Amino acid sequence: YGGHLRESTDGGDTHVDKAIGEPHRIKDVFFKDAATGWHVGQFFRIAKSTDGGVAWDEQTPKSSPNNQGFLNALAVIPTGGMEGVAVGDSFT
């Protein structure tokens, strides 16, 4: 909770902060390669990174505090196109 995203490249012995205090609670992260990945979370937010998780761009449709749910998990086809699915709470 609190939007922290950390990366390990040594099996979890050490970690590097990637997103500190992200304004949305992050629930799941998926990287299709070393540079391109997405995270989902609070207010149905989906964000994409193309630099290994250093910067994140919110995807359309934009999240909204009026939508009080979460996206809890996502999967993206790791080869080829940009097809994927995110699942979570129902819209209220």
Side-chain angles (χ1 to χ4, degrees), residues 43-47 58-64 67 71 91:
F43 308 134
F44 302 105
R45 182 174 196 233
I46 301 175
E58 190 166 357
Q59 302 292 283
T60 304
K62 302 286 187 193
S63 61
S64 170
N67 297 324
L71 289 173
F91 284 94

Side-chain angles (χ1 to χ4, degrees), residues 17 45 89:
D17 288 322
R45 182 174 196 233
D89 297 333

Side-chain angles (χ1 to χ4, degrees), residues 13-71:
D13 289 334
T14 61
H15 297 84
V16 175
D17 288 322
K18 287 293 188 173
I20 303 170
E22 180 76 21
H24 302 83
R25 292 181 173 146
I26 298 169
K27 293 294 214 164
D28 194 19
V29 177
F30 181 91
F31 275 84
K32 74 174 212 159
D33 57 40
T36 307
W38 294 263
H39 72 67
V40 295
Q42 187 178 26
F43 308 134
F44 302 105
R45 182 174 196 233
I46 301 175
K48 180 181 179 182
S49 177
T50 57
D51 60 7
V54 175
W56 295 91
D57 295 314
E58 190 166 357
Q59 302 292 283
T60 304
K62 302 286 187 193
S63 61
S64 170
N66 295 329
N67 297 324
Q68 294 297 312
F70 283 87
L71 289 173

